[in-house]
Amino acid sequence: MKKTTISLLVSGALLLSGCTLDGEDGSTGAIGIQGPAGVAGTQGPAGTDGEAAKTGIELDLLARAIVNLGGAAEIVQYHAATQVAYATDSTDNTVAMIDISGVNSTPLTLPSNDNSLTFSRLTIESAVGEVALDGMTSIAISGDLMAVAVPADDKANNGYVLFYNNLDNQAPAFVKAVEVGNLPDMVTFTPDGSKVLVANEGEPAKDYSIDPEGSISVITVTDGVPADTATAITFAAYNGEQATLEAQGMLFPTPNGRTINGVTINSTVAQDLEPEYISATNTTAYVTLQENNGLAIVDLADNSVSVIGLGLKSWEDLLIDSQEDGSVSFASFSGLYGAYQPDSIANFSWQGQTFLVTANEGDAREYFFDVADEAACTAANGQDYDSGDSCLAYTDEFKIKDLPAAPGSAFEVLADDDRVRDLRVTSAGPTNAEGEYEIAVAYGARSFTIWDQNGVVVYDSADQLERITAAIYGNSFNSTDDENASDDRSENKGPEPEAITVGTVGDKTYAFVGLERMGGIMVFDITNPFSVDFVDYYNNRNITEGLDFNDAIGDLAPESLVFVPAEDSPTSAPLLLVGNEVSGSLAVWEITEK
C-alpha cells in the first residue's frame, strides 16, 4: 500500500515536470464538505463626514458708527493690538477712535442705520511753529505709531506729516511734525513699518497764481522713531518729456498758454503730475497719478522713480450708459475711450511676483476762485462766465458736443448722437494739428483693473460694475452719493469705483471694490489674476427715490477699505472696515467662507 502511494506521488511529480507516462486518469473526486463559517469581526466606528469644499465668501454687516454726516470717515485705519478703528473727520479736524472689540457675529438687517459703536476723538494740531495747517487728508498706522498727513493752510507752503504714538494705551500722544511736499494727500507705511511714504499732490492755487510740483516723500522709521526730515522724490527729470508720456496714454490737463488772473500759465511736467495714492511692498512703492492717467514706480533702495502711462480703454465692444434719461440705456460706441485714472491702488502676490489692482474712478480738474462780479471774472481769466459765488479759473471737463470735432471722424459721429453727446470728456485728449478731436476720452474706466509690475493690463472688469448695479437696481442705478435720484451719474463717470483693497480668506485672494456713487462693495476672486471671478455685491443703502444723506439712508460713498485678518478680528473671522464719506459712517462687515 505504501509503495503504491509513493509510486502515484512520483508519477504525479513526473507529470508536473512535463514527462509523459501511459495510463488513464482517475475520475474526479467528490467535492468536500464546506468548512464552518468564520466568526465576523466587530463593526468599526463610523467615519466623520467630509467637509464641504469652500467655494467663496459672504459678507454680513455687524455694526456701524456715524462719525459725522457729510465729510467724515473718509480714511479709516485699524490698530490691531487694541481693536480700535481710527477714522478721519474733516468737519472738525479730529480723528475718531472707534472701539470695535465688543463686536459679535450677529448680523444687522439691511439697509441699516445702526449707530451702536462708541468712540472718542483726537484733535489734530492746527499749526507747526508759524505755519498754519489746513484740515488733515489721510492717516496711516503701523504698530504703536500713527502718521497724519496735513497740508499747509497757505498753498505756497509745504505740508507736514504729524506723528503720534501711545496707541497701545488708546491715548495717542503727539511726537513730532516732519515737513514733506506741497499738499500731502495720502500717507502710508511700508509693510515692515520701516518707511512712511507720502503722495504730495501739489495742486495749483484756486486762481492758478502758483502751481507747486507734485512729489513723493519718504520718511525713515527706526525702532518706532521717525526721522526728523523726509527725502523728497521729484519728477523734474521728466520735464520736456510730455510728448513721450502722452504717447503712452498719459494726460496733461493744464491750461498752458492761457492767461488767468493776469498770469500766463506755463507749467512743467513736474508741476502737472499730481500723486494721488500709494501702495507699497518693502522694496517698491506704486503711486497713482490720477488726473494724468499714469503710474509712478519708486525703487525704495535708492529712491529712483520711473513714470509710465496707463493707456486708454475702448468702449467699442462694451456697454456703457452715457445719458441721464432716468432709465437703463446701454450702448456701445466706436471712437469712445476711457482713461483709467485710478484713485486707490493695492498690491498682492501671485507666483512670487507683485500684481497691482486699481479702482478706476477718473477725475477732472476744475479750479474756482472768488470774485466780486462777472466783469472781474472775465478780466481774470479772459473768458466770459456767468457770475456767481465763484469764478471758473480752469477746467478740462466738457461735454462731447461742446468740443471741436474733426470732420468725418468718429468724434463727429459721437457729437451728433443723442445717446452720448452729453457725456463728460477731457479736453486733454489727443487732437489733430488743427486742435480738433478724432476720438473722445471719458473720465475713468468704470472698472477695476489688475496690472502686472510692468504696468501691463492682466484683467479688467470691463462693463461688469455698471451692468451688475443696473441688473439689481434698474432705473435707480447710477444714483449720486448724497441723494437718491435715478440715473443722474451716467453722463459723468457712472458708478465711480474709488476704493480698493485685497485680502486672503482661506486659500483664496479677494479684491474688494468700493463704488463711490452707487455705494456698496463689489467682491472678486483674484487668486489667479489671469482667471478672475465675480463673487458678490453688498450695499447697505436704502434707494427709495427722493431720500438724501440727511435721511439716514445707510452707507454712502465708500472712500477707504481696510481688510482685517481673522487673527486680528474681535469675532475671530476676517473683517472689512469701510469708511463712507458722505454718510460719515464706519461700517464693520464680517467675511465668512461658504
Side-chain angles (χ1 to χ4, degrees), residues 34-50:
Q34 178 69 36
V39 178
T42 57
Q43 181 70 32
T48 57
D49 292 338

Side-chain angles (χ1 to χ4, degrees), residues 127 197 336 363 488 509 533 566:
L197 310 174
L336 177 62
D363 197 12
D488 67 344
T509 302
D533 292 314

Side-chain angles (χ1 to χ4, degrees), residues 40-95:
T42 57
Q43 181 70 32
T48 57
D49 292 338
E51 185 177 343
K54 304 297 185 183
T55 59
I57 57 174
E58 60 185 5
L59 274 62
D60 289 298
L61 181 63
L62 301 185
R64 297 170 74 246
I66 300 176
V67 177
N68 233 329
L69 282 178
E74 180 178 5
I75 304 299
V76 171
Q77 289 285 284
Y78 183 65
H79 187 245
T82 57
Q83 297 182 337
V84 172
Y86 287 71
T88 61
D89 186 354
S90 60
T91 63
D92 61 4
N93 207 34
T94 62
V95 176

Side-chain angles (χ1 to χ4, degrees), residues 198-392:
V198 190
N200 305 300
E201 271 201 280
E203 286 184 351
K206 289 183 178 180
D207 60 357
Y208 246 102
S209 58
I210 61 170
D211 185 4
E213 291 188 357
S215 63
I216 301 161
S217 297
V218 180
I219 304 170
T220 301
V221 178
T222 304
D223 296 329
V225 179
D228 294 333
T229 58
T231 298
I233 300 173
T234 75
F235 300 101
Y238 286 90
N239 288 339
E241 298 295 323
Q242 180 169 326
T244 300
L245 295 173
E246 285 178 333
Q248 299 175 15
M250 288 190 69
L251 304 175
F252 290 86
T254 298
N256 280 348
R258 276 187 52 193
T259 299
I260 298 177
N261 206 22
V263 177
T264 300
I265 309 303
N266 187 26
S267 295
T268 65
V269 169
Q271 288 174 299
D272 198 74
L273 297 182
E274 296 182 359
E276 181 76 23
Y277 206 97
I278 304 175
S279 179
T281 66
N282 291 327
T283 60
T284 310
Y286 303 93
V287 187
T288 57
L289 307 170
Q290 184 174 23
E291 291 90 344
N292 306 104
N293 193 39
L295 180 72
I297 303 175
V298 180
D299 184 340
L300 295 176
D302 59 10
N303 292 330
S304 59
V305 61
S306 59
V307 175
I308 58 176
L310 297 179
L312 302 177
K313 170 180 173 176
S314 173
W315 284 102
E316 183 170 2
D317 298 318
L318 302 173
L319 296 177
I320 184 174
D321 190 332
S322 53
Q323 60 179 329
E324 293 170 7
D325 58 357
S327 65
V328 177
S329 47
F330 286 125
S332 300
F333 301 98
S334 177
L336 177 62
Y337 294 81
Y340 292 94
Q341 295 185 305
D343 187 331
S344 300
I345 183 172
N347 74 80
F348 69 103
S349 180
W350 181 73
Q351 298 283 24
Q353 300 301 316
T354 298
F355 287 76
L356 310 174
V357 291
T358 60
N360 306 317
E361 176 197 23
D363 197 12
R365 282 184 179 160
E366 195 171 60
Y367 299 113
F368 295 87
F369 59 98
D370 295 332
V371 294
D373 53 39
E374 184 177 350
C377 180
T378 302
N381 57 33
Q383 296 190 27
D384 193 10
Y385 293 98
D386 292 336
S387 60
D389 294 334
S390 297
C391 175
L392 180 62

Side-chain angles (χ1 to χ4, degrees), residues 75 88-90 92-95 122-128 131-140 146-155 157-164 174 176-188 196-201 217 219:
I75 304 299
T88 61
D89 186 354
S90 60
D92 61 4
N93 207 34
T94 62
V95 176
L122 169 69
T123 300
I124 300 302
E125 272 64 25
S126 59
V128 175
V131 178
L133 300 179
D134 202 352
M136 79 187 111
T137 55
S138 181
I139 59 175
M146 178 168 67
V148 182
V150 189
D153 187 58
D154 187 338
K155 279 278 191 181
N157 293 328
N158 283 336
Y160 288 83
V161 169
L162 310 179
F163 286 97
Y164 297 79
F174 178 66
K176 68 170 64 171
V178 179
E179 183 177 350
V180 290
N182 191 279
L183 186 55
D185 193 50
M186 191 271 180
V187 61
T188 189
V196 173
L197 310 174
V198 190
N200 305 300
E201 271 201 280
S217 297
I219 304 170

